[in-house]
């Protein structure tokens, strides 16, 4: 399968399009450039979004995390090649369900792809479910390449070296057998077998209890009659205490009604006094207005200080701009000046190098001409060619020497232009200019900051002054100055506080009256005097409560005894039930023994299966790890939980991944994932999000070379925020 294009409105991606090629695709982008969002989008297009997932502490559900930032509906489209034909997959909203709608058609025809639905999309296209894909060919934003064992992945790997059956895994069967064992017997007190043993013992005891129940019932009934008589006496004592308390409550209620009437009269008198002015705002509003008045008075010196600071900052800016002027770098920024200095320095060094090369070549060509001329003149039959050879070499050496001299003059002009004697001084001039420009920029930023703060204070002063006068004119329209504003606020606040105090007093009296009335208080009337109880309220309440508890205990004991007597009933029924329990107990014990034998057999079979597929996976992953680490680690082993250990040629024992560096651990699990992909997902695209982030440059280059080779068999998408992957690939 090959992915050709992806178009997404997903998270920060707003209708963006990503075009991919067969083989290795290295996609580089800075942080927050959308790399991890593209990975999440691809997985969501294959397997959909789990709408049942909910936000929790430290976790956002995908349906919320990848809601488009623009507020548009979440939707996307993928075009890919599958089984020799191009198909287009689309997902979009369905009501309030993100990615709820789905379609899969042959590209350009809108003809539906048979059997390809929202639920079967990832399974059909990739050949595995979400769980296996996430643990093999997909490395998302989690930041770890480690693989967690899962039943589906375990079954998938085991099927490669067995009959090919992928419906169940060892862990699933083991879990089911353990569940059956636990249902029968977890320990000495939990499970069907202990329950049956307990019922068996209980039935045996029940037969002996029947003869004791009649004596127990007679004793309980006598105790209850005596406790009932005592409880009635204490109840009458409590009623007498209640009548005395009611008389006291009525007296309090009558006094509260009198206090409420007085508070109402005080409030009415105060409201009459306030009627001479406008409506008084709330106390909080008046206090806020006083705060605004104080703020206005404090703003004026701040504005004057800001104006002085602005003048000083503008003077500093002018001095910095004059100091930054330089004829060597007219109109340039600091960075442009540094780059210009670097280019001129490089030109100078190049010219001087050409001069040195010209001198060497001049000497070599002169020597070559002399040797050639002498040899031809002395030993050759054509002696007259000797002078010609010397003349040609001499002309070439003169041309080379002239070019070197010209380059040296041009290099010298560069130093003259800067007025320096050494090329290293050019960089110092550019650096000094860059510092002066930075100082001028900083001074300009300071001016803008002070100007902004001054404008904010001036606007706040005017706005607050207008708002304050509008507020005060609602109850004191005659006020014209800030002094009058202060006096009007103080007067209104005093009247408001007095009104608030009077209302609070009235409300308190009303609440007390209502509370006493709710408790049953009423106007006091003349009633006959009440006699004094012989028991105190505490004694009567305590004894009544104790006797009530005793009566309830006796009632429960009587009901339990009668119920047990009725439940135990006929001894023949007890014997029949005991026989049934013994038969059921024997059957459950035989089942427990059979399941235990099945567990032992399953463990032996799994051990044999591990011996068959573990070496195959270990060899494949070990070979890949050797490639990634340059042979430092050549062997790799995995336990059934897919936790890895690695060893080198001189290592006596393998090293657990817990003892290795983060980069080496990532290389181990990248090798494991690649081996699992080769075994389980021969055609699925490999998605790597920042998978090489912890690799050093050497191992990253080896990993890129390995991925380049593997990309001949499958498409690989490598997302990275670094450019070294692109450089290594090229």
């Amino acid at each position: 399968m090959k992915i050709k294009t992806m178009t997404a409105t997903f998270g920060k991606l707003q209708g963006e399009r990503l075009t991919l090629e067969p083989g290795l695709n290295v996609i580089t982008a800075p942080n927050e450039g959308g790399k991890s969002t593209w990975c999440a989008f691809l997985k969501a297009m294959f397997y959909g979004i789990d709408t049942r997932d909910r936000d929790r502490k430290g976790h956002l559900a995908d349906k919320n995390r990848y809601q488009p930032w623009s507020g548009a509906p979440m939707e996307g489209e993928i075009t890919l090649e599958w089984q020799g034909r191009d198909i287009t997959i689309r997902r979009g909203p369905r009501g309030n369900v993100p990615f709820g709608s789905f379609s899969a058609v042959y590209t350009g025809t809108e003809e539906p792809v048979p059997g390809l639905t929202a639920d079967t999309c990832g399974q059909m296209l990739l050949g595995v479910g979400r769980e296996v894909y996430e643990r093999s060919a997909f490395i998302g934003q989690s930041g770890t390449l480690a693989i967690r064992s899962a039943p589906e992945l375990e079954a998938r790997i085991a099927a490669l070296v067995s009959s090919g059956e992928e419906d169940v895994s060892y862990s699933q069967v083991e879990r089911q057998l353990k569940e059956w064992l636990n249902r029968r017997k977890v320990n000495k007190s939990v499970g069907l077998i202990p329950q049956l043993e307990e019922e068996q013992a209980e039935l045996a005891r029940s037969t002996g209890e029947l003869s004791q129940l009649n004596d127990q019932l007679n004793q309980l009934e006598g105790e209850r009659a005596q406790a009932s008589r005592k409880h009635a006496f204490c109840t009458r004592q409590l009623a007498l205490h209640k009548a005395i308390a009611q008389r006291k409550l009525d007296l309090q209620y009558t006094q509260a009604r009198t206090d409420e009437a007085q508070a109402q009269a005080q409030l009415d008198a105060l409201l009459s006094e306030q009627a001479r002015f406008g409506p008084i705002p709330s106390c909080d509003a008046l206090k806020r207005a006083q705060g605004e008045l104080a703020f206005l008075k404090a703003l004026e010196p701040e504005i004057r200080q800001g104006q002085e600071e602005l003048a000083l900052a503008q003077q500093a800016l002018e001095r910095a701009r004059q100091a930054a002027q330089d004829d060597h770098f007219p109109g340039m920024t600091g960075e442009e000046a540094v780059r210009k200095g670097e280019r001129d320095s490089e030109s100078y060094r190049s010219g001087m190098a050409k001069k040195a090369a010209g001198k060497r070549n001049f000497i070599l060509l002169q020597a070559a001409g002399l040797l050639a001329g002498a040899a031809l003149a002395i030993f050759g039959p054509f002696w007259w060619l000797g002078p010609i050879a010397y003349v040609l070499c001499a002309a070439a050496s003169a041309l080379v020497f002239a070019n070197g001299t010209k380059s040296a003059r041009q290099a010298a002009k560069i130093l003259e232009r800067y007025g320096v004697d050494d090329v290293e001084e050019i960089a110092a001039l550019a650096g000094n200019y860059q510092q002066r420009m930075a100082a001028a920029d900083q001074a300009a930023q300071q001016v803008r900051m002070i100007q902004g703060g001054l404008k904010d204070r001036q606007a706040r002063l005017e706005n607050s002054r207008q708002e304050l006068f509008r507020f005060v004119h609602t109850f004191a329209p005659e006020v014209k100055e800030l002094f009058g504003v202060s006096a009007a606020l103080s007067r209104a606040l005093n009247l408001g506080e007095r009104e608030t105090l009077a209302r609070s007093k009235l409300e308190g009296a009303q609440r007390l009256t209502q509370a006493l009335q709710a408790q049953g208080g009423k106007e006091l009337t003349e009633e006959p005097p009440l006699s004094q109880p012989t028991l105190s309220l505490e004694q009567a309440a305590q004894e009544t409560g104790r006797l009530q508890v005793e009566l309830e205990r006796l009632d429960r004991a009587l009901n339990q005894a009668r119920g047990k007597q009725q439940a135990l009933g006929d001894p023949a029924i007890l014997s029949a039930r005991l026989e049934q329990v013994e038969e059921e107990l024997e059957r459950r014990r035989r089942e427990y023994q059979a399941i235990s034998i099945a567990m032992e057999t399953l463990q032996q079979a799994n051990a044999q299966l591990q011996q068959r597929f573990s070496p195959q996976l270990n060899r494949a992953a070990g070979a890949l790890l050797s490639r990634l680490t340059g042979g430092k680690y050549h062997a790799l082993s995995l336990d059934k939980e897919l936790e890895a250990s690695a060893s080198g040629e001189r290592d006596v024992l393998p090293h657990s991944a817990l003892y290795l560096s983060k980069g080496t651990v990532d290389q181990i699990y990248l090798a494991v994932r690649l081996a699992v992909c080769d075994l389980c997902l021969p055609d699925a695209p490999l998605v790597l999000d920042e998978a090489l982030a912890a690799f050093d440059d050497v191992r990253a280059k080896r990993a890129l070379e390995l991925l380049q080779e593997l990309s001949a068999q499958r498409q690989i998408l490598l997302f990275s925020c670094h450019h070294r992957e692109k450089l290594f690939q090229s």
Side-chain angles (χ1 to χ4, degrees):
M1 186 188 74
K2 303 292 186 298
I3 302 172
K4 293 187 174 182
T5 63
M6 295 192 295
T7 305
T9 298
F10 192 82
K12 72 162 296 181
L13 305 175
Q14 306 299 316
E16 296 186 27
R17 183 182 182 88
L18 184 61
T19 302
L20 303 172
E21 299 293 336
L24 177 60
N25 293 262
V26 179
I27 302 102
T28 60
N31 292 335
E32 300 186 357
K35 303 182 298 299
S36 299
T37 306
W38 275 120
C39 294
F41 169 75
L42 178 60
K43 184 173 65 173
M45 289 297 293
F46 282 144
Y47 296 102
I49 289 180
D50 185 4
T51 57
R52 296 171 297 178
D53 191 15
R54 296 291 184 270
D55 293 344
R56 54 186 181 275
K57 185 176 181 180
H59 168 77
L60 277 179
D62 286 351
K63 63 182 179 181
N64 298 324
R65 181 177 184 179
Y66 296 111
Q67 277 294 330
W69 295 3
S70 64
M74 186 187 297
E75 56 189 3
E77 177 182 285
I78 291 182
T79 302
L80 52 86
E81 178 186 343
W82 182 60
Q83 295 183 350
R85 296 188 65 179
D86 288 353
I87 64 173
T88 299
I89 300 172
R90 301 185 183 96
R91 288 186 186 263
R94 184 180 63 190
N96 294 327
V97 180
F99 269 25
S101 67
F102 175 88
S103 69
V105 300
Y106 291 110
T107 304
T109 66
E110 297 301 317
E111 175 187 351
V113 180
L116 197 58
T117 66
D119 296 330
T120 65
C121 179
Q123 184 71 43
M124 284 188 63
L125 295 178
L126 304 177
V128 293
R130 180 197 296 264
E131 193 174 61
V132 173
Y133 189 55
E134 289 177 339
R135 286 163 171 78
S136 54
F138 184 88
I139 301 174
Q141 198 182 14
S142 61
T144 176
L145 281 76
I147 304 176
R148 291 179 288 107
S149 180
E152 184 184 352
L153 180 59
E154 177 188 338
R156 180 78 176 184
I157 296 176
L160 296 171
V161 292
S162 61
S163 63
E165 177 65 44
E166 299 182 29
D167 292 340
V168 293
S169 68
Y170 162 74
S171 59
Q172 289 173 313
V173 176
E174 182 189 35
R175 185 163 55 248
Q176 183 64 62
L177 290 176
K178 284 184 178 179
E179 182 182 348
W180 288 347
L181 280 178
N182 292 339
R183 285 169 59 185
R184 284 153 181 81
K185 187 176 181 180
V186 179
N187 49 42
K188 293 182 179 180
S189 60
V190 181
L192 294 176
I193 292 176
Q195 291 173 0
L196 290 171
E197 291 174 343
E198 183 179 356
E199 186 178 358
Q200 180 187 31
E202 184 65 26
L203 288 170
R205 289 193 299 268
S206 297
T207 305
E209 291 179 1
L210 283 172
S211 61
Q212 302 176 5
L213 288 176
N214 289 333
D215 294 340
Q216 182 182 359
L217 284 170
N218 292 333
Q219 181 181 355
L220 289 172
E221 287 174 351
E223 292 177 359
R224 191 189 186 289
Q226 183 179 4
S228 180
R229 289 191 295 270
K230 292 180 180 179
H231 182 267
F233 171 75
C234 292
T235 301
R236 290 192 295 272
Q237 290 286 296
L238 279 177
L240 185 56
H241 279 291
K242 183 178 180 180
I244 294 173
Q246 182 64 45
R247 183 71 58 84
K248 183 178 179 181
L249 179 63
D250 292 344
L251 180 61
Q252 292 175 342
Y253 176 76
T254 302
Q255 182 62 42
R257 287 292 301 272
T258 302
D259 294 341
E260 179 184 350
Q262 293 175 353
Q264 184 65 55
Q266 292 176 0
L267 178 61
D268 292 341
L270 183 60
L271 292 176
S272 298
E273 181 182 355
Q274 289 182 358
R276 294 178 297 164
F277 306 101
I280 304 299
S282 66
C283 180
D284 291 339
L286 291 169
K287 288 182 178 180
R288 286 196 298 270
Q290 283 186 330
E292 284 295 318
L293 180 61
F295 178 71
L296 285 178
K297 294 178 179 178
L299 268 180
E300 293 178 354
E302 289 184 8
I303 290 174
R304 288 194 298 272
Q305 182 181 358
Q307 290 171 342
E308 294 173 358
E309 291 177 354
L310 178 60
L312 293 175
Q314 288 173 338
Q315 293 173 4
L317 173 59
E318 183 61 28
R319 289 194 298 271
R321 285 176 174 173
Q322 291 177 358
Q325 293 179 0
D326 195 318
D327 294 338
H328 296 122
F329 310 104
M332 295 184 183
T333 64
E335 291 74 10
E336 291 172 345
V338 170
R339 289 195 293 271
K340 181 178 183 300
E342 291 173 350
R343 289 195 301 270
D344 289 344
S345 298
E346 183 61 27
S347 298
Y348 173 81
R349 294 188 182 95
S350 175
M352 297 306 294
K354 289 180 180 179
K355 177 184 178 182
K359 289 182 179 180
R360 290 193 302 271
N361 293 336
F362 174 79
I363 295 172
L364 292 175
L365 287 172
Q366 286 286 343
L370 288 173
L371 291 174
L376 289 172
I378 296 172
F379 302 104
F382 303 100
W383 61 267
W384 50 271
L385 292 175
I388 296 175
Y390 173 76
V391 169
L392 291 175
C393 290
S397 64
L399 180 60
V400 169
F401 184 79
N403 288 336
T405 303
K406 180 180 179 181
S407 298
R409 287 197 300 271
Q410 292 175 347
K413 289 180 179 180
I414 294 175
L415 295 182
E416 292 175 2
R417 189 165 61 250
Y418 282 97
V420 297
D421 297 327
D422 187 85
V423 69
E424 301 300 331
E425 296 181 28
I426 297 177
L429 289 175
N432 179 264
Y433 177 75
Q434 186 182 30
Q435 293 176 355
R436 285 178 284 143
M437 286 300 296
D441 292 341
Q442 185 176 3
Q445 177 64 25
Q446 181 69 14
V447 169
R448 290 193 295 271
M449 183 179 67
I450 294 175
Q451 285 177 337
L454 183 60
K455 289 180 180 179
D456 290 342
R457 291 187 182 93
Q458 290 172 339
R460 180 67 187 275
L461 176 66
E462 184 60 28
N463 293 337
S464 298
R465 182 183 180 89
Q466 294 177 2
E467 289 294 331
L468 188 59
F469 273 103
R470 279 196 294 270
F471 175 76
V472 171
H473 285 165
T474 60
F475 60 90
E478 72 282 358
V479 172
K480 303 298 182 183
E481 299 177 352
L482 289 180
F483 179 78
V485 169
S486 178
L489 290 175
S490 299
R491 182 186 63 204
L493 190 59
N494 182 31
L495 290 174
E497 289 176 351
R498 290 169 60 194
E499 179 187 353
T500 300
L501 181 62
R503 289 187 183 278
S504 177
K505 184 177 180 180
L506 175 60
E507 290 173 359
Q510 290 173 340
R511 284 195 298 271
L512 178 59
T513 302
Q514 293 170 358
L516 293 172
Q517 188 176 19
Q519 295 173 21
K522 56 183 182 295
E523 291 288 345
L524 187 63
T525 57
E526 291 295 333
E527 293 184 358
L530 298 173
S531 61
Q532 292 298 319
T534 57
L535 295 177
S536 68
L537 178 61
E538 291 77 10
Q539 291 173 336
Q542 183 178 2
E543 191 65 14
T544 301
R546 186 189 69 78
L547 290 170
Q548 182 64 38
V549 171
E550 180 67 12
L551 285 173
E552 292 175 356
R553 184 190 68 79
L554 291 171
D555 287 337
R556 286 196 301 272
L558 284 168
N559 291 333
Q560 289 173 0
R562 291 173 185 142
K564 184 179 292 186
Q565 184 184 44
Q566 184 178 2
L568 293 175
D570 190 351
I573 297 176
L574 291 177
S575 299
R577 177 57 187 162
L578 181 60
E579 183 177 353
Q580 292 175 355
V581 169
E582 290 174 346
E583 292 176 356
E584 178 70 10
L585 181 60
E586 180 63 23
R587 183 172 68 85
R588 293 297 183 182
R589 285 171 176 167
R590 290 196 300 269
E591 289 177 352
Y592 185 85
Q593 184 179 7
I595 295 172
S596 299
I597 295 172
M599 282 283 293
E600 294 176 1
T601 304
L602 178 65
Q603 292 170 354
Q604 295 173 1
N606 181 66
Q608 295 176 2
L609 188 60
Q610 286 279 345
Q611 295 174 0
R612 295 172 63 190
F613 82 81
S614 291
Q616 180 180 355
L617 181 58
N618 291 345
R619 283 194 300 272
L624 294 171
L625 179 61
S626 179
R627 287 281 306 275
L628 292 172
T629 61
K632 181 175 182 179
Y633 297 99
H634 69 283
L636 186 150
S637 58
L638 298 166
D639 60 16
K640 69 176 183 178
E641 299 298 331
L642 296 181
E643 294 181 357
S645 299
S647 58
E649 293 183 357
R650 298 182 180 180
D651 292 333
V652 178
L653 296 174
H655 301 288
S656 170
L658 298 175
Y659 294 96
L660 301 176
S661 69
K662 173 67 166 60
T664 303
V665 171
D666 282 358
Q667 290 145 22
I668 289 174
Y669 283 111
L670 178 59
V672 174
R673 282 178 177 266
L674 292 175
V676 170
C677 289
D678 186 53
L679 293 173
C680 302
L681 293 86
D683 193 44
L686 181 61
V687 179
L688 307 174
D689 184 8
E690 299 292 357
L692 310 185
F695 289 26
D696 60 35
D697 290 344
V698 174
R699 293 190 180 181
K701 185 175 182 180
R702 294 190 188 120
L704 260 296
E705 292 172 353
L706 177 59
L707 293 176
Q708 189 69 51
E709 293 178 13
L710 297 178
S711 66
Q713 286 78 36
R714 73 172 71 242
Q715 188 181 39
I716 300 177
L717 279 61
L718 175 60
F719 293 87
S720 175
C721 63
H722 302 290
H723 291 285
R724 66 175 183 177
E725 284 81 352
K726 277 284 189 183
L727 296 176
F728 290 160
Q729 185 187 24
S730 60

